[in-house]
Amino acid sequence: IAKAMPRYEPQLIMKIESITLREIHMPLVHFFETSFGRVYSRRILLVSVEADGVRGWGECVAGEDPYYSPEWTETAWPTIKHYLAPLLLQSELDSGRDCAARFARVRGHRMAKAALENAVWDAEARQKQLPLWKLLGGTRREIACGVSIGIQDTPEQLLQKIETELAAGYRRIKIKVKPGWDLNVLEKIRARWADIVLSVDANSAYTLDEVEHLRKFDAFNLLMIEQPLWNDEIYLHARLQKAIQTAICLDESILNARDADFALETGACRIINIKVGRVGGFSEAKKIHDVTVRHNVPVWCGGMLESGVGRGHNIALSTLENFRLPGDVSASKRYWKEDIIDPEVEVRADGMIAISDAPGTGYQVREELVRKFTVREETFRAGK
Ligand code: OSB
Ligand code: MG
């Protein structure tokens, strides 16, 4: 049997000299509410790695509370400090791709792992003077953007927000839903905009007992319903998908490429949302992408209210060929008065982001602003 020839590429060995972990605080321009709660301000962990004279940045997308996932800001810090950073500092790496194997002994903590792995990819791209999107294997020169609009105090406020985002050019509107804020608001949206591309995200707000209720979503011509059932459940989504017409998209339940394969084989969803933090970094995100190509199912890039660092990484990932649907990758100014990157992420009037050819993400970290927002900081070096 002919085996694929291994590809021998000239490798630059990377030596990670130091890793700096920071917590920054950034108030959101507008609160964001999902079925599990409301957030006004973000506590974001940033990682920077120094390797051979270049600096790479990564963002930990864990939330302020263990509601979206078991990981949260306070679990990520000691996990990086005591377990993950030492694993990177003790030896040389060929590439960001090597991080996942180094971290394998540590179970879970994918958002903490992704912050480090992505910082190494970022450093590698800068070291090789390549755009990160090319290093990741992307092809798209522009990417399509959607928005995720949280639960508001009143349906009228939601309609106002949708109007603003449509006027800005966004190509898909996603609203958060939960029992009591779902069919009633969909009625109002569709009465005003019969044809816009519209999705809903339940963040696990329903159970399979509510299948009759969930079937009523079919009347609204939705692009998808995201994560209707339990965050850790795939098989019961397959049961639900058989009972409803609207395409299910899984977010929380897909933690790795095996989950994606299982979900697509069992018919648990017809679309997958990839969040690079949720799955542990760029290498696992690429594997999930490749699984969806084999199943001919589209993916899109999810968001976690990231600062410019994570946003830049989401943009690079979205250039992979199978990111065929608009992502939750939207402009910096929707979240922040001032983002920590230069330039800020801007979305064109046609709802697209143009991809830069500059080395790295094409967005420079504004280190003086990061310092201003920093509330704690610690640097780790080999042997210390
Ligand atoms: O489920 O996609 C989600 C934000 C925090 C936690 C979970 C989710 C979200 C979003 C926001 O929908 C997307 C964005 O960054 O705009
Ligand atoms: Mg979601």
Side-chain angles (χ1 to χ4, degrees), residues 140-161:
R140 296 177 184 274
R141 303 312 322 276
E142 51 179 32
I143 61 163
C145 305
V147 286
S148 172
I149 306 181
I151 294 166
Q152 307 297 316
D153 289 329
T154 64
E156 290 62 43
Q157 283 168 0
L158 178 65
L159 295 181
Q160 184 57 53
K161 285 220 166 307

Side-chain angles (χ1 to χ4, degrees), residues 53 62 69 155 212 275 282 285 347:
S69 67
E212 285 313 317
K275 287 179 183 165
F282 282 131
V347 174

Side-chain angles (χ1 to χ4, degrees), residues 9 38 121 134 155 160 268 276 284 312-313 337 352 371:
E9 291 169 348
R38 189 180 274 196
W121 281 88
K134 271 193 188 162
Q160 184 57 53
V276 68
E284 196 66 28
H313 288 178
K337 210 164 107 209
M352 306 292 284
R371 265 195 295 279

Side-chain angles (χ1 to χ4, degrees), residues 200 202 206 214 217 222-228 244 246-249:
V200 298
Y206 302 95
L214 290 166
F217 284 71
L222 301 176
L223 180 62
M224 67 189 88
I225 176 168
E226 192 177 337
Q227 199 70 36
I244 64 175
T246 306
I248 293 177
C249 170

Side-chain angles (χ1 to χ4, degrees), residues 103-165:
F103 296 156
R105 186 179 181 194
V106 175
R107 291 195 177 153
H109 297 282
R110 293 179 178 82
M111 294 171 178
K113 289 174 178 173
L116 272 173
E117 177 181 324
N118 295 354
V120 174
W121 281 88
D122 197 67
E124 182 185 353
R126 286 174 208 269
Q127 190 185 46
K128 293 180 174 162
Q129 289 288 302
L130 275 176
L132 177 60
W133 63 268
K134 271 193 188 162
L135 191 64
L136 290 169
T139 51
R140 296 177 184 274
R141 303 312 322 276
E142 51 179 32
I143 61 163
C145 305
V147 286
S148 172
I149 306 181
I151 294 166
Q152 307 297 316
D153 289 329
T154 64
E156 290 62 43
Q157 283 168 0
L158 178 65
L159 295 181
Q160 184 57 53
K161 285 220 166 307
I162 294 174
E163 185 163 287
T164 304
E165 305 301 4

Side-chain angles (χ1 to χ4, degrees), residues 159-180:
L159 295 181
Q160 184 57 53
K161 285 220 166 307
I162 294 174
E163 185 163 287
T164 304
E165 305 301 4
L166 290 171
Y170 285 101
R171 295 183 168 226
R172 183 225 63 206
I173 301 290
K174 153 175 148 185
I175 64 157
K176 294 290 186 176
V177 290
K178 64 175 183 182

Side-chain angles (χ1 to χ4, degrees), residues 264-376:
L264 294 173
E265 263 181 49
T266 53
C269 60
R270 299 206 286 261
I271 298 173
I272 285 179
N273 157 336
I274 300 182
K275 287 179 183 165
V276 68
R278 190 192 70 225
V279 306
F282 282 131
S283 39
E284 196 66 28
K286 273 167 60 64
K287 282 186 196 157
I288 296 175
H289 168 270
D290 295 349
V291 166
T292 63
V293 170
R294 285 204 294 282
H295 287 272
N296 192 25
V297 157
V299 294
W300 56 278
C301 185
M304 291 290 284
L305 313 176
E306 288 91 347
S307 79
V309 171
R311 200 161 293 282
H313 288 178
N314 290 345
I315 291 168
L317 182 67
S318 303
T319 65
L320 269 66
E321 59 162 323
N322 205 33
F323 282 79
R324 286 186 262 153
L325 295 172
D328 282 345
V329 187
S330 37
S332 296
K333 66 173 183 210
R334 289 193 63 243
Y335 307 84
W336 318 114
K337 210 164 107 209
E338 206 177 7
D339 203 347
I340 56 172
I341 48 165
D342 183 37
E344 296 203 343
V345 173
E346 285 190 31
V347 174
R348 298 192 315 230
D350 64 353
M352 306 292 284
I353 292 175
I355 304 299
S356 162
D357 264 332
T361 58
Y363 300 96
Q364 290 305 321
V365 175
R366 294 174 61 187
E367 302 200 7
E368 80 297 342
L369 199 56
V370 168
R371 265 195 295 279
K372 194 175 129 192
F373 293 160
T374 295
V375 299
R376 56 173 165 163

